[in-house]
Amino acid sequence: MRRSQKRLLILISSVPLLLLVSALGYMWGMSALEGRPRHFWDSLEFAAETLSTTGFGLDSHWSHPIMVLYVVFLQFIGVFLMFLIIPIYLVPYLEDRFEARLPRKAPPKLADHVVIYRYGPAVETLVEQLTSAGVASLVVETDEEEARSLLERGRSVVFAREESDAVEICNLLQARALVANGHDEENAGLILRARQAGFSGDIAALVEEPLRRRPMELAGASAVYTPRHILAAALAARASSLISPRLAGAQQLGNSLEVRELRIEPGSQLSGKSLQSSAIGKRTGATVIGQWVGGRLLTEPGPEMVLEPGGILVVLGTPETLRELPDLLEGTSPLRREGPFIVAGFGEVGRKVHQLLTDAGERVVTIDRTAQPDVDLVGNAFDPDLLRQAGLESSQAVILAVDSDDATLFATVVIRDAASHVPVIARVNEARNVENIHRAGADFALSISQVSGQILSQRLLGQEAISVDAQLKVQKFDASGLAGRHPRDLLSREAHRVRIVAIERSGTLILSFPEDLVIEQGDSLFVCGSAEGVRNYIASSSRAT
């Protein structure tokens, strides 16, 4: 029997008893104390009207003090009952009666599914990826409110009142994998029970503390991840080229070519133009090899690519060309390659970002609301004076690792207003807020949901949910088989979305391609684009020869 039904039965049985006792007490009092006897039915009418706060029947005045106190007591009992019955008895009963009932057990035929213990930001993207891949998922939730919310959103969920029931209600032995997303101690208990029940499939555990990875593996987990540390690594990699070079393989080009990043100011004449109509290559001799827009790196810049206001162009060229580039392209500003990084927020993610940057040799200034070791300035990240004190104007980037998305959004607006040229790299808690924080002006925003979605999708589905470390790649290959052809006449660049950035001939790099230039025996080509695009282009070129 459900709890609300039990409460209703108790109410139905207790009200008549209270009426009877009250009526008998009134009948005795009126006879013994007031000298005005009342029949039982008159006394019952008095008790009903008093307890329901609708009146007192035939009587409205009493002279004996005990009788007066008795009537006053019944009046307060009546008022108390009205406030008690509605929220404690009637509302829960009506909710249970008319709300959809939460499933308490998985459908018997459910199999080859992924069981997810406890829903939250860390598994949000994973659930979406499983749905897109046609793989069934089942969330086991111990929080009734969260379970009901998932049910209303169309998610497959079963509700377990006790953590120990989780293994028995989800058809675990027929599942392909189990993802443990509870607290570390909950996860350990769940994994042990799953293995004891005979589950031999994949178990992935998300842990809060890195030191608990080994114990979780000993409990039976196949793989253990710390999403917040992976998130910190992605943020640090995006900030520092010492950790993650902007162009993989650039060392093959020696000192002849360099990579720079230029921000397109909102008022720039380049804003809204296509790459072809901007004629950046003809005007400057540099090559646009990518563009950061809304946190995504476009690694395949075709002629029709729009130069977005606020976007960051990734440009390849000679050192001399790149020095002159801001003057030739009015309305652009190069991103700084010197100066400190400002890390705002010194929780677990902020501490890890600080560690990674300092280990790479970068200078870091930290801000947090509380004083603690390695915190340089105490205050809020949305205090303009504090940001200026931290060296905002001369910083390479601000990395926001604060504990709330609202604070991140507000800090982004403040930073963008105070120093529009400084990149903002933001940690986001809820995936649904990523787009809003990009709109507020963040150049790169990444949520723990995206990070977890990537690592779990890679393990369970063999595919990536989202690239958190997008990177351009340049690769050299022997072009002897293409001798006699002009670079533009090679296999269609549009088919592979790569750029030919240089030709190496007898140890010398050729960076411009006049009409009479042709590939010669012994030449090597340098092509640039996404890793996949470069790989496909080289494979196609080899087949063509």
Side-chain angles (χ1 to χ4, degrees):
M1 183 179 294
R2 304 175 73 179
R3 186 181 302 178
S4 61
Q5 293 174 331
K6 290 181 180 179
R7 288 179 175 179
L8 188 61
L9 288 177
I10 293 172
L11 174 66
I12 292 173
S13 59
S14 60
V15 168
L17 180 61
L18 178 61
L19 282 173
L20 179 62
V21 172
S22 300
L24 292 176
Y26 184 76
M27 187 170 63
W28 177 85
M30 289 300 291
S31 176
L33 301 177
E34 294 289 335
R36 293 181 289 163
R38 293 288 186 266
H39 295 296
F40 172 76
W41 296 112
D42 293 333
S43 300
L44 183 63
E45 179 185 6
F46 164 83
E49 292 181 342
T50 302
L51 292 175
S52 64
T53 70
T54 58
F56 305 109
L58 299 174
D59 301 319
S60 60
H61 180 73
W62 299 268
S63 57
H64 197 283
I66 294 178
M67 199 63 192
V68 172
L69 291 175
Y70 180 72
V71 172
V72 170
F73 174 74
L74 289 182
Q75 290 172 345
F76 276 98
I77 288 294
V79 173
F80 176 75
L81 281 176
M82 290 300 104
F83 286 101
L84 180 69
I85 289 172
I86 293 175
I88 295 182
Y89 292 95
L90 293 184
V91 171
Y93 174 75
L94 293 175
E95 285 180 349
D96 284 351
R97 180 68 178 83
F98 293 106
E99 282 187 351
R101 294 189 177 184
L102 286 173
R104 301 299 298 275
K105 196 170 184 179
K109 295 183 180 180
L110 182 64
D112 197 35
H113 56 294
V114 175
V115 176
I116 300 172
Y117 176 70
R118 300 299 300 271
Y119 191 79
V123 295
E124 185 177 357
T125 298
L126 173 65
V127 172
E128 295 174 358
Q129 286 297 118
L130 291 172
T131 302
S132 299
V135 176
S137 63
L138 180 68
V139 178
V140 178
E141 184 56 65
T142 58
D143 182 278
E144 185 172 357
E145 184 177 350
E146 181 67 45
R148 195 169 295 282
S149 174
L150 290 171
L151 188 65
E152 291 173 353
R153 284 148 50 191
R155 300 296 189 194
S156 297
V157 61
V158 289
F159 173 60
R161 291 199 181 277
E162 302 293 337
E163 298 167 7
S164 56
D165 297 336
V167 172
E168 288 76 18
I169 65 175
C170 60
N171 289 5
L172 183 60
L173 297 182
Q174 285 76 48
R176 66 160 62 183
L178 168 64
V179 177
N181 184 45
H183 296 299
D184 290 350
E185 58 274 16
E186 294 176 357
N187 290 345
L190 175 72
I191 294 168
L192 283 169
R193 286 191 292 272
R195 293 306 189 198
Q196 290 170 358
F199 180 66
S200 59
D202 207 8
I203 298 181
L206 304 179
V207 298
E208 300 160 347
E209 298 293 337
L211 294 177
R212 296 173 182 169
R213 293 185 53 159
R214 179 59 179 163
M216 207 69 70
E217 291 173 349
L218 293 175
S222 310
V224 185
Y225 304 103
T226 51
R228 281 181 290 192
H229 282 201
I230 299 173
L231 173 61
L235 296 173
R238 176 63 192 101
S240 172
S241 59
L242 296 180
I243 296 176
S244 178
R246 299 292 181 258
L247 183 63
Q251 68 275 7
Q252 300 177 79
L253 297 170
N255 297 322
S256 301
L257 291 179
E258 293 182 1
V259 179
R260 291 287 174 84
E261 292 177 310
L262 295 173
R263 184 184 298 281
I264 304 172
E265 303 295 343
S268 171
Q269 294 181 351
L270 295 176
S271 295
K273 287 187 175 181
S274 68
L275 182 60
Q276 185 175 32
S277 63
S278 69
I280 292 177
K282 292 181 180 179
R283 293 163 57 190
T284 66
T287 302
V288 176
I289 58 175
Q291 181 181 202
W292 283 98
V293 179
R296 294 187 304 112
L297 176 59
L298 306 179
T299 59
E300 303 165 350
E304 71 287 350
M305 183 185 75
V306 176
L307 305 182
E308 300 288 347
I312 298 175
L313 293 179
V314 185
V315 182
L316 184 70
T318 64
E320 297 77 14
T321 297
L322 295 181
R323 277 196 296 269
E324 299 174 358
L325 204 57
D327 297 329
L328 295 173
L329 299 177
E330 187 177 353
T332 64
S333 57
L335 301 190
R336 294 181 59 87
R337 305 182 72 177
E338 298 177 347
F341 287 98
I342 299 175
V343 176
F346 209 64
E348 187 174 348
V349 173
R351 281 194 297 271
K352 191 63 177 179
V353 170
H354 173 268
Q355 177 190 338
L356 291 169
L357 290 175
T358 52
D359 287 349
E362 300 283 11
R363 188 156 58 94
V364 183
V365 178
T366 56
I367 299 174
D368 196 72
R369 289 178 296 179
T370 58
Q372 52 183 304
D374 292 325
V375 171
D376 300 304
L377 297 170
V378 178
N380 288 318
F382 39 78
D383 182 347
D385 293 333
L386 191 67
L387 290 169
R388 293 189 193 97
Q389 187 179 347
L392 177 63
E393 286 287 342
S394 60
S395 65
Q396 291 191 57
V398 178
I399 303 167
L400 295 175
V402 294
D403 56 3
S404 95
D405 289 350
D406 288 341
T408 299
L409 192 147
F410 188 32
T412 300
V413 173
V414 171
I415 295 166
R416 187 57 64 229
D417 179 62
S420 60
H421 62 284
V422 175
V424 177
I425 302 169
R427 166 258 183 105
V428 185
N429 293 321
E430 302 287 343
R432 62 176 177 269
N433 294 327
V434 169
E435 185 62 29
N436 289 336
I437 291 173
H438 276 307
R439 289 177 182 173
D443 296 291
F444 184 74
L446 186 63
S447 73
I448 199 167
S449 176
Q450 293 170 304
V451 168
S452 300
Q454 181 190 24
I455 57 179
L456 292 173
S457 295
Q458 177 70 31
R459 181 170 187 87
L460 301 179
L461 302 175
Q463 64 186 46
E464 291 190 1
I466 185 170
S467 176
V468 298
D469 191 20
Q471 191 179 57
L472 289 159
K473 181 177 183 179
V474 63
Q475 187 165 333
K476 173 183 175 181
F477 75 100
D478 183 12
S480 296
L482 303 172
R485 306 174 66 180
H486 191 278
R488 71 163 180 269
D489 298 329
L490 300 180
L491 294 177
S492 171
R493 181 176 60 80
E494 284 73 17
H496 303 285
R497 314 303 292 175
V498 299
R499 284 189 172 284
I500 299 172
V501 295
I503 300 173
E504 185 181 57
R505 178 176 295 168
S506 300
T508 302
L509 286 182
I510 301 173
L511 305 177
S512 60
F513 309 139
E515 291 295 326
D516 58 350
L517 176 73
V518 294
I519 305 296
E520 297 180 359
Q521 287 290 333
D523 284 354
S524 295
L525 286 184
F526 287 91
V527 293
C528 179
S530 67
E532 182 181 5
V534 168
R535 184 171 59 251
N536 292 340
Y537 185 85
I538 294 176
S540 298
S541 298
S542 299
R543 289 195 298 268
T545 59

